[in-house]
Amino acid sequence: MPKRYHVTTFGCQMNAHDSERIQGMLESLGYAAAASRAQADLILFNTCSIREAADSRFVAHLGEAKRLKREDPERVIGVGGCWAQSVKEEVFARFPFVDVAFGPGQVHKLAEFLTAESLTAQGFFEFEGFTGHLPAKRAREHQGWVQISVGCNSVCSYCIVPSTRGREVSRPPAELVAEVADLAADGVREVTLLGQNVNSYGRDLPRDRRITFAQLLAEIDAVPGVRRIRYTSPHPKDMREDVIRAHAQLPALCEHIHLPLQSGSSAVLRRMRRTYSRERYLDRVALIREHVPDCALTTDIIVGFPGETEADFEQTLEVAEAVGYDGAFTFIYSPRRGTEAATLADQVPHERKVARMERLVEVVQRRARERAQRFVGRTLEVLVEGPSRTDPTRLRGRSRHNRVVNFDGLAAPGELIDVRITAATSQTLTGEASLLASAGA
Ligand code: SAH
Ligand code: SF4
Ligand code: F3S
């Protein structure tokens, strides 16, 4: 019987990517996936620490692992990811039943630990490797993550990520192009390039191997078989015209940009150390709309940053109203250990944060619903993912704008088909496959 593993993943796409690599590495060691924690010899958590809620969600899951470890002390419990990195060796003092802990920079050490003679508790917290170098077990056959860089050199005053992922290091372009070619040969149609700040890609590379993010996009677009390219996240400070133009020029690069706003008030942005102003951000949006008029725009917004006044918050509402995002992730500010903003006076009371959040969500959803109506009556290319989650007699896929499309038709996962859109909500589109539409007509 092979040993069996179970991985629970919290957090962002980079963690989803890292977990696919963890699973690929474990399978190359001869482990097999277990259907539940109770059936696993190795129980892993790939953690996130971006907000307090992320910490508590993970700690709630740990209870079951503790109980299972008590039942069978041979079981190995491992904790990786950003939360582990942020507390380091403290993991073992707080949770004595944990056997191994590792940060995002030393995932590969897990293999060393598991194959060692004795399993005494160990922690690995150096920043030394790319998880992208490990074998992957992809969750979705036709979609692949590509880690183009790790770490972040920004110093956003609210953010824990620079301390959990280290300084920014880019992978060489030739390696990335080869990885994308392998993915395409393996049936992947859509790649998503990942980094904390993708458009600062390459600045740390030696001069003779250095290319810009826009050049990297062009090289990946040229890989045969790749039909869609996405990336996340760009930083507005580094969003240059060449990247925006690439969306109009490169056939595979999708009409969607996730451009984190964080706040619509220049004063708050300054205290956040975002290094752009409201005007500069709106100027980027105007440039996008000029070159790629139909581009979907999504964003991240934080409400209740320390010192945020009613007037500051209204400026955020104004930007959300003016831009008309296709969607937005909205967050209540959460003080994080070791960050500058957590030490600021005038923290905003919780009830006020919640009230502002509700007002923001109203604007975001209304504008997203309005924006989505532009798709009704159009025929969009959809990458088929499988059966619809709400109605298994229908299919589900995504448009190039990153909209979920539920539709009637016959198609296999991984196919790109034309779907005529008949209805739209703020979240999803409804339609019918064109062939079906013309057959019925
Ligand atoms: N590197 C990416 C993602 C950062 S984390 C980027 O810079 O875009 C994803 C989002 O979480 C951020 O964009 C921000 O909106 C939110 N976030 C980060 N720290 C936070 C905190 N302390 N409280 C609330 N939201 C936070
Ligand atoms: Fe955090 Fe800012 Fe870096 Fe994004 S750019 S990971 S928000 S420090
Ligand atoms: Fe969370 Fe780390 Fe991602 S803190 S959001 S898993 S970079």
Side-chain angles (χ1 to χ4, degrees):
M1 267 290 269
K3 290 205 169 180
R4 284 178 299 176
Y5 70 85
H6 185 274
V7 184
T8 310
T9 308
F10 303 90
C12 62
Q13 283 114 323
M14 191 63 95
N15 255 19
H17 162 270
D18 290 353
S19 284
E20 291 190 352
R21 300 289 171 159
I22 289 173
Q23 296 179 57
M25 179 176 75
L26 292 173
E27 301 208 349
S28 74
L29 291 176
Y31 280 77
S36 70
R37 280 187 200 132
Q39 292 163 24
D41 305 287
L42 170 63
I43 298 175
L44 289 176
F45 297 91
N46 194 13
T47 60
C48 170
S49 213
I50 199 77
R51 286 168 292 277
E52 199 181 325
D55 288 7
S56 358
R57 205 170 309 137
F58 149 67
V59 170
H61 281 254
L62 258 184
E64 190 197 354
K66 179 182 181 179
R67 182 174 58 72
L68 290 168
K69 175 85 177 178
R70 208 182 304 126
E71 275 171 21
D72 176 7
E74 294 291 297
R75 272 206 175 96
V76 175
I77 313 285
V79 182
C82 287
W83 176 84
Q85 184 69 34
S86 74
V87 300
K88 297 193 185 166
E89 306 287 343
E90 245 182 79
V91 178
F92 302 112
R94 286 169 62 180
F95 306 105
F97 54 92
V98 170
D99 300 286
V100 58
F102 51 95
Q106 278 196 317
V107 170
H108 54 283
K109 289 283 186 183
L110 176 63
E112 205 172 284
F113 174 83
L114 292 170
T115 49
E117 293 288 308
S118 74
L119 293 183
T120 48
Q122 246 180 303
F124 304 98
F125 304 109
E126 302 297 320
F127 295 115
E128 63 173 16
F130 295 106
T131 41
H133 286 165
L134 300 169
K137 184 192 181 189
R138 278 200 313 281
R140 296 185 294 182
E141 203 182 334
H142 306 286
Q143 288 156 278
W145 307 116
V146 179
Q147 181 181 54
I148 67 167
S149 60
V150 296
C152 183
N153 289 356
S154 293
V155 289
C156 304
S157 59
Y158 51 81
C159 184
I160 199 169
V161 174
S163 73
T164 64
R165 300 250 172 195
R167 300 282 297 169
E168 186 174 301
V169 191
S170 305
R171 290 173 64 194
E175 187 177 303
L176 295 171
V177 170
E179 184 168 317
V180 171
D182 284 348
L183 286 172
D186 198 33
V188 167
R189 293 288 155 262
E190 174 179 300
V191 293
T192 303
L193 313 184
L194 295 179
Q196 299 306 329
N197 175 359
V198 284
N199 47 6
S200 70
Y201 170 80
R203 289 182 198 161
D204 56 301
L205 289 172
R207 207 170 290 269
D208 57 326
R209 276 190 296 173
R210 185 182 307 164
I211 63 172
T212 63
F213 181 58
Q215 287 166 326
L216 178 70
L217 288 171
E219 291 198 11
I220 289 178
D221 182 74
V223 175
V226 173
R227 301 289 299 273
R228 289 182 171 187
I229 304 170
R230 304 185 185 281
Y231 58 81
T232 195
S233 295
H235 194 301
K237 81 175 160 71
D238 296 315
M239 197 63 187
R240 288 201 235 296
E241 191 164 340
D242 56 355
V243 174
I244 296 172
R245 282 178 180 276
H247 282 268
Q249 288 159 357
L250 303 176
L253 189 57
C254 289
E255 291 74 31
H256 170 218
I257 298 178
H258 181 73
L259 196 64
L261 169 68
Q262 312 302 3
S263 169
S265 150
S266 292
V268 172
L269 287 169
R270 208 172 311 119
R271 289 203 305 281
M272 286 178 164
R273 300 199 186 280
R274 288 292 285 177
T275 69
Y276 55 84
S277 62
R278 165 198 182 85
E279 290 69 33
R280 157 92 189 168
Y281 183 92
L282 289 172
D283 176 59
R284 297 295 92 186
V285 172
L287 204 59
I288 293 169
R289 294 264 152 89
E290 179 190 330
H291 290 292
V292 200
D294 188 39
C295 196
L297 268 176
T298 56
T299 199
D300 293 344
I301 301 173
I302 298 176
V303 301
F305 184 81
E308 182 188 73
T309 62
E310 175 60 24
D312 288 322
F313 174 66
E314 280 170 13
Q315 294 206 308
T316 299
L317 288 181
E318 272 171 32
V319 174
E321 193 76 61
V323 172
Y325 292 103
D326 291 79
F329 296 110
T330 50
F331 306 108
I332 287 184
Y333 168 72
S334 168
R336 303 285 60 207
R337 53 195 170 275
T339 60
E340 187 191 345
T343 67
L344 295 176
D346 55 1
Q347 299 281 327
V348 176
H350 185 69
E351 315 75 69
R352 199 174 303 157
K353 288 185 194 166
V354 173
R356 285 182 186 167
M357 177 76 154
E358 284 170 4
R359 289 162 65 196
L360 178 61
V361 166
E362 188 278 317
V363 173
V364 161
Q365 286 187 348
R366 174 168 46 76
R367 294 295 280 130
R369 203 162 48 237
E370 287 164 9
R371 285 282 291 167
Q373 302 314 312
R374 77 187 189 281
F375 297 123
V376 176
R378 280 169 63 182
T379 297
L380 300 180
E381 180 203 84
V382 170
L383 176 60
V384 182
E385 292 176 358
S388 153
R389 285 181 194 162
T390 45
D391 175 359
T393 65
R394 314 180 77 201
L395 290 169
R396 169 198 157 100
R398 256 169 218 274
S399 73
R400 287 172 62 97
H401 304 86
N402 209 30
R403 284 274 153 170
V404 170
V405 184
N406 292 308
F407 62 98
D408 291 313
L410 284 174
E415 264 185 68
L416 286 151
I417 62 163
D418 284 341
V419 173
R420 205 172 63 82
I421 304 305
T422 53
T425 68
S426 65
Q427 303 278 342
T428 58
L429 302 178
T430 307
E432 42 194 41
S434 283
L435 271 180
L436 204 76
S438 52

